[in-house]
Amino acid sequence: MVGVHCQQVDGVLMVSIGSKALPARRHRTCGFVEDSLMVREDALYRQGKGKKGMSRKDRGERHEFDGDNSKKTISGRTNDRSVGGRKFSKHQSTSASQTAHVRKQVDPEMAKYFSEVSNLFESDGVDIEERSVICGNALEETRGKELELATDYILSHTMQTLLEGCDVDHLCGFLQSCAEDFPSIAMDRSGSHVAETAIKSLAKLLEDNDVYSVVEETLTILCQVVVTNPIDLMCSCYGSHVLRSLLCVCKGVKIDSDFHVTKSSTVLAERLNLRASRIDRDYSHLQQGFPDLLKFLVSGMIKRTRKEIKTLQVDQFGSLVLQTALKLLAGNDEELLHAIPILLGCNKEDILEGNYIEMDIVRDVVNLMKETAFSHLMEVILEVAPEVLYNEMFTKVFKNSLFELSSHHCGNFVIQALISHARCQDQMELIWEELGPKFAVLLEMGRSGVIASLIASSQRLHSHEHKCCQALTAAICSANESPRFIVPRILFLDNFFFCEDKSNWNWPSGVRMHVMGSLILQAVFRYQSEYIQPYVTSITSMETDHVLEAVKDRGGARVIEAFLTSNASGKLKRRLVMKLRGHFGELSMHSSGSFTVEKCFTVGNLSLREAIVTELVAVQSELSKTKQGPYLIRNLDVDRFATQPDQWRSKLASKQSAYDEFYATFGSGEAKPRKNEGFLADISKHSSHPKDLKEMRKEIDNQFSSGVPFLSTSGFKSKPKKADQHSRKHPETSVDYNITQVKNKNLKKRKSHVGSDNVAAVGKMTENVGQSKELDQSVSKTGKKRERKDAQLNTSKKKLKA
């Protein structure tokens, strides 16, 4: 124990810590002495909060740490993981006392000066041009006193304002001047905000290429200081956040990107094939980075903390830093192959390929995956691991332990990550052998996420698709039960499995539908129709009240939409849609139901579409005031139907004609619409180029809705607008469309040469939609150009043969 003693010397209270005697910090406003190791009193907090624009949000609102949020993980999960799952290291508590410093009292004149600067900015009496000069001059006054000012609760706000408004020279000068104290500033409650503001300002200045060298010099100095003793900074609830921001700047990614803060919904969407990987997505628009500095910083941290790796493995904040570092190294196999074995606890200095994982640590790693912090770290390791290392981990660590980990409240998240990143069908086979027979047990334990990941991976790898459907059916319904119970029970997954008398379970009205259950059903309806017949039978057998209640629920509505876009026949889809007749106006007023109404309109025949629009006309005035209403009214052409119903029907008939001709021209022989399927047969029946057909179908809809004939020449000189591809946002319809580009794109994909027959077929399509003679001429010219190119190609081939 280090002794702390107080005594008064010449009127100054001295605080003795061990053998050192330091003056105690006085409270600037209240006039009484407070212990140098204590946080400022609430009175000072209230004083700072009372100033306009100076209040700092409760640290509990930060995404990863402190306050009551200490149980929250990087993904925002507060589930079973936090119940007895996290162990904090002894180092975390001792390092705080080791690095605690005695704050010196800020000189009264200095405090007065910065208060005046703060008041000047708050009065809005400073021009933009003058602001940078004032900020630079004020920062020059901080030389040698950066630590005291940055860690002062009140003046730290002013420091942030100065760092945001200064130029690159003063910003880098400040950071270089306080580099030795940067870890202490970063680990302070107030100073961490100052440090992070400085780093964000650096990142913003990197948009100017001329400052690259001076910023690189500054970052190099900071990184050299950090790697000297990184363990304290990594395990600090404040310092870890600053360190992760520093890593992001070195890589060149935005500090507020998914590399820094990851939402659980984002991770889940990636695992269920609903969203591209955040690594692939963010790497497409990197800012200027410092790859060598990133390698130096990460390798230095790992090298310095290697002896204390067991501390970092179970430390919440240290794990967060390592997760960010690994995400930023994704794609750099050399660095990852060196770092990951160390993080798993391997002690070998020289690691050979095929022997990255030591067998004597396997059991320890399996047990660590039951810890909160390490389970999160392991999820990222599986995401970024090079294939050779992933395969070795799969074989040595996870094989024969899949069900054990899947049953654990922390370990099951690791298994979800393992399944989601499976590389091949052989690995899928091993996963199925251990987990395939355990569907019912896993669902009873509440591990539905493992089932959802398994279904998504079976689709991605095209392996065990039918077996997954059968196993899920068997887990939900017994062999002698009707399949009509399948979908309702999965929609209320926990409600069903927690029911004591499952045989007498009924639809629980007014209960929110299970999120993971709805995601599982959405994934199931992406299977081929021959695999999902029991699910199709179940959803089409639902009672009308239950279908209506499902559409009003956010998760249930997505399930209905997934079925309407599945490979099931149009007749079965319309059977479900018919149950919503009389409620389309009501549903269109719901934010989620409006999407379902649009899907119903798409799969409906002419009479059903007319019924839908008729109901929307009745609520048109109220619908136009909602967020989604104007789009729905425009897309379904409600205004035209209300004023000119005959013309509305004529346009729909023209659309159908255009679809038929397009499929006949560019589709395969099987792509012709079936007569018994009625108006606007399903796209799913047309197997040729589904992506291109879907795009063409949208363009046809856009042309008719805008009043411009399909394949019109008005689109030749303009490029199509990019549609908004966010999952639930309405796309902006484009008026112009370059038909020559799309036609050539489709023709190139065909195996046989497209000659004059297809040109004539395209001409026939244009006649059906009232096309002008100019288009015929342009298509003819395009055909002649292609023939000339083919003639030139044949001539060149003959010369080569000769």
Side-chain angles (χ1 to χ4, degrees), residues 717-733:
K717 295 183 180 180
S718 61
K719 295 181 181 180
K721 297 179 181 179
K722 293 183 179 179
D724 188 358
Q725 297 179 356
H726 294 292
S727 59
R728 299 292 287 183
K729 293 182 180 179
H730 299 302
E732 294 293 335
T733 57

Side-chain angles (χ1 to χ4, degrees), residues 126 173 187 277 292 300 409 518 555 569 593-594 660 677 704 744 759 768:
V126 182
M187 290 185 289
S277 171
D292 293 335
H409 63 268
S518 65
S569 68
S594 63
D660 293 347
E677 294 239 335
F704 279 100
N744 290 338
V759 176
N768 289 333

Side-chain angles (χ1 to χ4, degrees), residues 310 313 344-345 358-371 374 397:
K310 291 184 178 180
Q313 287 175 336
L344 294 179
E358 301 169 11
M359 291 303 298
D360 55 352
I361 69 162
V362 169
R363 194 63 238 175
D364 293 337
V365 173
V366 172
N367 291 332
L368 279 171
M369 282 186 273
K370 299 175 183 179
E371 300 286 342
F374 189 80
V397 179

Side-chain angles (χ1 to χ4, degrees), residues 486-537:
I486 297 176
V487 170
R489 290 178 179 179
I490 298 179
L491 283 174
F492 299 97
L493 202 57
D494 283 350
N495 186 284
F496 170 70
F497 277 101
F498 290 159
C499 179
E500 295 181 1
D501 187 7
K502 294 182 175 58
S503 59
N504 292 323
W505 180 87
N506 293 314
W507 180 285
S509 297
V511 178
R512 184 180 178 183
M513 295 178 183
H514 194 264
V515 174
M516 192 60 69
S518 65
L519 289 171
I520 289 174
L521 285 173
Q522 291 174 55
V524 166
F525 284 120
R526 290 198 294 270
Y527 281 126
Q528 295 297 320
S529 58
E530 57 267 25
Y531 299 151
I532 59 174
Q533 288 305 314
Y535 299 88
V536 173
T537 301

Side-chain angles (χ1 to χ4, degrees), residues 363 366 370 397-409 411-412 415 418-419 430-445 447 450-451:
R363 194 63 238 175
V366 172
K370 299 175 183 179
V397 179
F398 290 98
K399 189 177 180 180
N400 300 323
S401 298
L402 294 180
F403 182 69
E404 174 190 347
L405 291 171
S406 298
S407 306
H408 194 269
H409 63 268
N412 81 91
I415 298 304
L418 177 78
I419 297 172
L430 293 174
I431 294 171
W432 180 259
E433 288 179 1
E434 293 191 44
L435 299 182
K438 306 289 186 179
F439 268 42
V441 179
L442 290 172
L443 290 174
E444 288 177 357
M445 290 190 297
R447 309 295 178 236
V450 178
I451 305 298

Side-chain angles (χ1 to χ4, degrees), residues 59 62-65 160 163-164 171 174-175 182 185-186 188-203 237-246 249 255-256 260-261:
R59 299 295 291 208
R62 294 189 76 162
H63 293 282
E64 285 77 34
F65 45 77
Q160 287 181 254
L163 293 170
E164 290 172 342
L171 175 61
F174 172 84
L175 287 172
F182 184 79
I185 294 174
D188 183 79
R189 177 172 179 257
S190 298
S192 61
H193 285 284
V194 177
E196 193 169 358
T197 298
I199 292 174
K200 287 182 177 180
S201 297
L202 274 182
C237 63
Y238 305 119
S240 61
H241 196 74
V242 176
L243 183 52
R244 292 160 65 199
S245 297
L246 181 61
V249 173
I255 293 178
D256 56 352
H260 199 302
V261 180

